[in-house]
Amino acid sequence: MKFRNKTILLLLLSTSVGISTINIKASITVAAKRRIAVVSRHRMRPTTYKLKRIKSKNTYAYSARLTQKKFRLATYSNKSFNVTHQEKLRVNGKYRIYYFAKNLAKPNVTGWIWRGYLTKTTPGPLSKTALNRLIASSPDLDPNNKILKLNPNVYRQFAKTFDKQYNVGNFAFPGLFFSRPCNHLC
């Protein structure tokens, strides 16, 4: 009787192990059949993004075509990224858009991040003190690129300051910076 029980137990164990190995092989082949195709890739104007609060700690930035995990996004949750490229992928028939992002603090931290994890940052309003510092740092009566590439709303808001700092009052019409022609200086 003991021999028969041991034989039955051995047969049950061997079939259950065989079934579990079949299930493992099936799940590996299903994961390996993920099809990824690049639909389009193009360059973007460099834009600063921040990572959204990511609920899952298992989200990553990837290499091109999502072949390799580059870094965990939760590690850089409060950091800013410079986005320069956009890529539209078709993954198993569904379309996804990824951005190529480079960390501003650590330039060697780069990867493709799904756009749902990123949010565009907007620069804060410029104060009068900050504007005066910019004007003081430029050469005398010669505005540098930082001043010439300010948002047009800044020129409207601080038109009198620009006119006073650059002695525009008696030599040109008021609001010269706001209505300046946008030629090669833009």
Side-chain angles (χ1 to χ4, degrees):
M1 191 84 137
K2 286 184 178 183
F3 177 72
R4 185 173 181 202
N5 288 341
K6 287 182 181 179
T7 307
I8 292 172
L9 183 63
L10 186 60
L11 283 173
L12 286 173
L13 282 174
S14 65
T15 53
S16 66
V17 169
I19 291 171
S20 65
T21 57
I22 290 170
N23 288 339
I24 291 171
K25 286 180 183 178
S27 66
I28 290 172
T29 56
V30 168
K33 289 185 179 182
R34 185 170 85 165
R35 293 184 182 165
I36 299 172
V38 176
V39 176
S40 66
R41 180 184 288 177
H42 61 84
R43 202 169 199 10
M44 297 172 52
R45 175 179 288 170
T47 310
T48 305
Y49 283 83
K50 279 201 170 213
L51 288 172
K52 290 182 180 176
R53 290 189 178 245
I54 299 171
K55 295 177 183 174
S56 174
K57 292 182 180 179
N58 297 326
T59 54
Y60 291 90
Y62 293 93
S63 62
R65 292 185 164 216
L66 311 180
T67 55
Q68 183 181 25
K69 293 177 182 177
K70 299 290 266 181
F71 60 89
R72 180 182 282 163
L73 296 180
T75 308
Y76 299 97
S77 61
N78 295 328
K79 305 297 181 198
S80 295
F81 288 86
N82 191 21
V83 171
T84 57
H85 289 80
Q86 176 181 341
E87 180 175 68
K88 185 175 184 180
L89 299 175
R90 191 175 68 227
V91 181
N92 293 336
K94 295 182 181 180
Y95 292 97
R96 298 179 187 170
I97 294 179
Y98 284 81
Y99 292 147
F100 182 75
K102 180 186 286 188
N103 189 327
L104 293 176
K106 297 180 181 179
N108 59 346
V109 177
T110 61
W112 290 91
I113 302 174
W114 177 58
R115 74 173 172 181
Y117 295 142
L118 296 169
T119 182
K120 190 183 274 190
T121 59
T122 56
L126 189 67
S127 68
K128 190 170 184 176
T129 308
L131 177 64
N132 285 329
R133 269 192 244 125
L134 272 176
I135 291 171
S137 68
S138 68
D140 192 30
L141 298 178
D142 186 20
N144 60 12
N145 274 345
K146 289 181 182 178
I147 293 172
L148 292 175
K149 291 187 177 185
L150 289 173
N151 190 336
N153 293 332
V154 174
Y155 298 123
R156 272 191 216 108
Q157 183 180 2
F158 299 110
K160 289 182 181 178
T161 304
F162 281 107
D163 291 346
K164 181 181 176 188
Q165 292 293 332
Y166 288 102
N167 293 328
V168 175
N170 297 328
F171 305 108
F173 59 91
L176 175 70
F177 280 91
F178 171 67
S179 59
R180 69 179 169 79
C182 189
N183 50 16
H184 69 282
L185 298 175
C186 290

